[in-house]
Amino acid sequence: MNSILKTSLIASGVAIASSLATVFAVGSTNSGSSVPTLTAPSNSGAFYTVAAEVPAEPSDFVDAAESTVNGVVSIKSYATPRAYAQNSPEASPFSDPLFEFFFGGNGNRQRRQQQQQEQPRERQLGLGSGVILSKDGYIVTNHHVIDGAERLDVTLNDNRNFTATVIGSDPTTDLALIKIEADDLHVIPIGNSEDIRVGEWVLAVGNPFGFTSTVTKGIVSAKARNVSALTHGASNGIESFIQTDAAVNPGNSGGALVNLRGELVGINAAIYSHTGNFAGYSFAIPTSIVKKVVTDIKQYGTVQRAFLGIGFSELTPELAKEKGITAVNSGIYVGRVEDCSAAFEAGLKEGDVITAIGGAATGNTAQLQEEIAKLRPGDKVEVVYYRDNKRETTTVTLRNSAGNTSVTRAGNVAELGCTLKAADKELLQKHELSNGVHVTEITDGKFKNAGIKAGFIILDINNSRVSSPEDVQKIYRAIMSDTSGYDKVMFITGIYPGGRKVYYAVDLAD
């Protein structure tokens, strides 16, 4: 098998597939004569604690470790296998033979039939880590740690246990904010990830393989790393990682990456490995992104994502030669400018090479993504670019995915305006269906606006089969939390009691 294909970016250990390949977070420690000084947040809306700019002369890792292990928690995710219609086993991850292989079971047909007759029992999906941001219980972790969970158990370093509530999550940055009801918790102050340097010592703190409060050390190997470029795979979102050689393994996802002053500089999220376990490189989401994402989730329920509105590629020697670009050797080559976009309004054109945004260099995709990810729609930022080998500047007012600067808020499934229930066995048999969700009542809302009437049986939404109201709600939440720029719409396939098959497009945009 091609070695490139064998090497992969692994998503960390909370989903069922985490036994095969996972993204891990590890605990880190810092050294010095004292723990970091804490200060109140300076930016409005921030609820976390930031670190004061106090010089330190660390000599070992002990103080950093002692000041951070109590600020990292263990997170266990649980879900209950649901009763899915016959002939649609793909609807449930628990029906996958791999689940039985990795999580136990004798593979006995009789045993499986017995389990089908029993009431479904809650099962653990995975294990991850989280970092305490505030004394009253706000915790940041990875999106993939909480994704699909019906219950989250959080265990502190002192063995106290809590059930967590999901405040919100963002698949694009793989971050989530959860909360436990507790007071006077130990907080890790947030440092400035932009100040860390390649070669600097860092510590990773987390719960690899269930071993709590584990600390490993390493150095910063690189900054603004785009892992998809290394694996030649498609990007799943914003990628501007801090690369380290601190050991991380399954269960470390969502844990802390700290400097030697005990300041949080990143949330561990991924490893680069042939095996699914640590093999030399790990990746953390920088706090420059973390701070903005968790603040947005707390204030608005979803991330306020800014868009420049360009199609682009990194400037390469081959591209520079082809386009006659001699003034710069690196940057973001503008391949197209979207209509009604911030870039169009600011006068950017195809062929421009963007070299800086807001005073920060944008020599590659990861640097561009990180700078834009720190901003919100409505923010004004200076863009430096080259046109016809001449340096130019312009001020851009960033917009959201809808092309304006309005605040985006998390949707409420009640806005659909309907009452749903799983289609009963008789209804499914009558229409020879294997799955479906019955719309039993219609009120004012999105469904009514789209023309859907009571009695309609939903078969699939956006090409995903649905068998229960929970399936509809999950798809709805995924659409509303997506800030990648795609239209917020439900494409629904279904039938009416008379057997007529109908298709609807339900616009979920405000």
Side-chain angles (χ1 to χ4, degrees):
M1 182 180 293
N2 187 293
S3 61
I4 293 179
L5 296 177
K6 292 182 179 179
T7 303
S8 61
L9 171 66
I10 316 294
S12 78
V14 289
I16 296 171
S18 64
S19 297
L20 294 172
T22 54
V23 176
F24 311 111
V26 285
S28 39
T29 63
N30 78 332
S31 60
S33 58
S34 62
V35 297
T37 302
L38 309 183
T39 65
S42 58
N43 54 314
S44 61
F47 60 97
Y48 43 80
T49 302
V50 296
E53 296 182 3
V54 178
E57 295 296 335
S59 57
D60 58 37
F61 307 118
V62 175
D63 288 340
E66 290 179 347
S67 68
T68 54
V69 290
N70 290 319
V72 176
V73 304
S74 172
I75 302 174
K76 293 179 181 178
S77 61
Y78 295 87
T80 303
R82 300 189 182 280
Y84 283 77
Q86 190 176 3
N87 299 327
S88 59
E90 69 278 9
S92 171
F94 297 94
S95 63
D96 194 322
L98 288 176
F99 184 89
E100 182 175 304
F101 179 80
F102 285 106
F103 287 84
N106 57 19
N108 186 295
R109 181 186 297 270
Q110 181 179 356
R111 173 62 176 166
R112 290 198 298 268
Q113 292 174 344
Q114 180 182 353
Q115 288 176 339
Q116 291 173 357
Q117 296 172 357
E118 296 174 351
Q119 291 294 325
R121 296 180 180 179
E122 184 180 68
R123 302 187 71 169
Q124 182 176 335
L125 289 180
L127 173 70
S129 302
V131 178
I132 299 173
L133 294 179
S134 66
K135 290 186 176 182
D136 60 347
Y138 284 97
I139 296 169
V140 63
T141 185
N142 289 140
H143 165 78
H144 67 260
V145 169
I146 60 92
D147 188 31
E150 295 176 352
R151 181 169 65 89
L152 296 173
D153 268 1
V154 172
T155 303
L156 306 186
N157 194 42
D158 61 8
N159 287 327
R160 285 186 290 165
N161 187 262
F162 300 87
T163 298
T165 300
V166 177
I167 304 302
S169 66
D170 180 39
T172 303
T173 54
D174 194 22
L175 290 170
L177 183 67
I178 65 177
K179 191 179 188 303
I180 59 175
E181 296 304 319
D183 296 312
D184 201 27
L185 297 177
H186 183 87
V187 173
I188 300 179
I190 294 185
N192 188 354
S193 58
E194 296 180 358
D195 290 341
I196 63 171
R197 297 175 296 171
V198 174
E200 181 177 341
W201 283 107
V202 287
L203 300 176
V205 183
N207 305 282
F209 304 115
F211 295 122
T212 59
S213 305
T214 297
V215 178
T216 57
K217 66 175 176 64
I219 62 168
V220 175
S221 305
K223 296 173 64 176
R225 182 70 81 193
N226 185 309
V227 183
S228 294
L230 300 178
T231 59
H232 305 284
S235 173
N236 293 320
I238 294 172
E239 292 186 8
S240 184
F241 293 114
I242 301 169
Q243 178 184 327
T244 78
D245 62 353
V248 297
N249 279 293
N252 285 131
S253 291
L257 185 73
V258 300
N259 60 23
L260 293 189
R261 293 190 296 274
E263 301 166 353
L264 185 73
V265 294
I267 298 296
N268 294 297
I271 62 173
Y272 188 66
S273 171
H274 293 268
T275 64
N277 294 328
F278 179 70
Y281 299 105
S282 56
F283 300 89
I285 304 164
T287 55
S288 59
I289 293 176
V290 174
K291 289 185 292 185
K292 191 263 184 181
V293 169
V294 297
T295 299
D296 280 357
I297 290 175
K298 184 173 183 293
Q299 288 185 343
Y300 308 107
T302 188
V303 177
Q304 305 302 302
R305 181 143 292 125
F307 289 86
L308 185 56
I310 61 171
F312 65 89
S313 59
E314 294 181 8
L315 184 65
T316 63
E318 294 77 14
L319 182 60
K321 182 177 180 180
E322 176 187 344
K323 301 298 182 180
I325 299 169
T326 58
V328 290
N329 298 318
S330 64
I332 300 299
Y333 179 83
V334 179
R336 72 175 185 276
V337 176
E338 303 290 348
D339 293 338
C340 303
S341 67
F344 186 92
E345 180 188 41
L348 291 174
K349 296 182 179 180
E350 179 182 342
D352 291 344
V353 179
I354 299 172
T355 58
I357 291 180
T362 55
N364 56 47
T365 300
Q367 289 176 331
L368 174 69
Q369 287 183 331
E370 181 172 351
E371 294 310 311
I372 296 296
K374 294 186 295 185
L375 301 169
R376 294 183 175 89
D379 286 348
K380 296 180 184 295
V381 62
E382 184 183 71
V383 174
V384 177
Y385 64 97
Y386 282 78
R387 178 180 296 169
D388 298 328
N389 291 315
K390 296 180 181 179
R391 186 180 186 274
E392 307 281 354
T393 63
T394 186
T395 299
V396 176
T397 302
L398 297 170
R399 301 182 181 184
N400 58 28
S401 59
N404 56 58
T405 59
S406 300
V407 170
T408 302
R409 296 191 179 274
N412 186 334
V413 71
E415 75 173 9
L416 295 179
C418 62
T419 301
L420 305 172
K421 74 171 186 177
D424 57 43
K425 184 176 180 180
E426 291 75 16
L427 190 61
L428 294 176
Q429 288 179 341
K430 176 183 178 181
H431 296 286
E432 299 181 341
L433 302 173
S434 61
N435 65 282
V437 175
H438 194 192
V439 180
T440 59
E441 184 180 355
I442 289 288
T443 58
D444 289 339
K446 301 290 187 181
F447 271 22
K448 183 177 181 180
N449 294 342
I452 296 176
K453 296 178 175 59
F456 184 62
I457 303 170
I458 302 172
L459 302 179
D460 66 67
I461 301 176
N462 293 2
N463 294 320
S464 295
R465 285 185 170 187
V466 293
S467 300
S468 68
E470 290 80 11
D471 293 340
V472 177
Q473 292 170 10
K474 184 176 180 180
I475 293 172
Y476 172 84
R477 288 193 295 266
I479 293 172
M480 297 306 294
S481 64
D482 183 13
T483 55
S484 62
Y486 293 105
D487 292 335
K488 297 185 184 300
V489 61
M490 281 183 166
F491 293 104
I492 299 178
T493 302
I495 67 170
Y496 279 101
R500 181 169 59 100
K501 196 169 188 178
V502 182
Y503 304 89
Y504 290 105
V506 180
D507 186 6
L508 301 181
D510 293 336

